[in-house]
Each structure stands twice: as C-alpha cells, then as structure tokens.
Amino acid sequence: MGVDKLRELAIVLVDRIRKNASIDWNLKESVRSRMKVAVKRLLRQYGYPPDMEALAMELVLEQAKVFTEFEVSTQTTAY
C-alpha cells in the first residue's frame, strides 16, 4: 500500500471510530463487535493485506480505546 492510501485509510478510520464510539463502547460486546466489523470492512475496502489484517484490527481497536478514554477525560475536566 502506498503512503497516500494509508493516510486516507487512517483518516477514514478515525472518522468512523469517532462516529461509532460511545463512552463505554469497549465494555459492550455488541458495540465492540460492530466496531470490529466496521474496521474490517474499511481495511478490505482499502486493500489492506489480509495476512496483516488481524494485527491491524487489534491495533486500531486499542488506539480507539485510548482515544475514547482521552476524549472522555478531557470532556469531563473541561466542565
């Protein structure tokens, strides 16, 4: 994959995660499953190598967890 395509994929992934992540998304199995499906579809849509897909999906979900925790902590301290 080229750098431009990876950059575009990253932007779309962040946007999709922002739209789908709730405060406790990683605690609810149904929401977590929906997030996994969305990430998997995006990886396939952008031609991500199938042999690296599982590792990429776990990395994306871990980053999404950290991202949502940060978002929640900054929103609660801002008030």
Side-chain angles (χ1 to χ4, degrees):
M1 293 185 71
V3 173
D4 291 335
K5 196 165 191 174
L6 280 173
R7 183 180 302 121
E8 184 180 338
L9 172 60
I11 291 168
V12 173
L13 276 169
V14 169
D15 183 54
R16 184 74 47 97
I17 287 169
R18 279 187 175 150
K19 288 179 181 175
N20 290 319
S22 60
I23 292 173
D24 57 352
W25 73 269
N26 58 334
L27 301 176
K28 295 182 180 180
E29 186 62 37
S30 62
V31 180
R32 191 170 51 237
S33 294
R34 195 170 58 232
M35 184 80 77
K36 283 183 180 180
V37 169
V39 170
K40 191 177 232 182
R41 284 183 181 163
L42 279 173
L43 291 175
R44 287 186 180 167
Q45 179 183 346
Y46 280 83
Y48 201 83
D51 59 329
M52 298 175 67
E53 188 176 283
L55 180 62
M57 190 164 38
E58 289 304 314
L59 180 61
V60 168
L61 292 175
E62 183 61 33
Q63 290 175 343
K65 181 180 174 184
V66 171
F67 173 77
T68 53
E69 288 172 354
F70 175 78
E71 287 289 308
V72 168
S73 70
T74 57
Q75 288 177 1
T76 57
T77 58
Y79 296 112

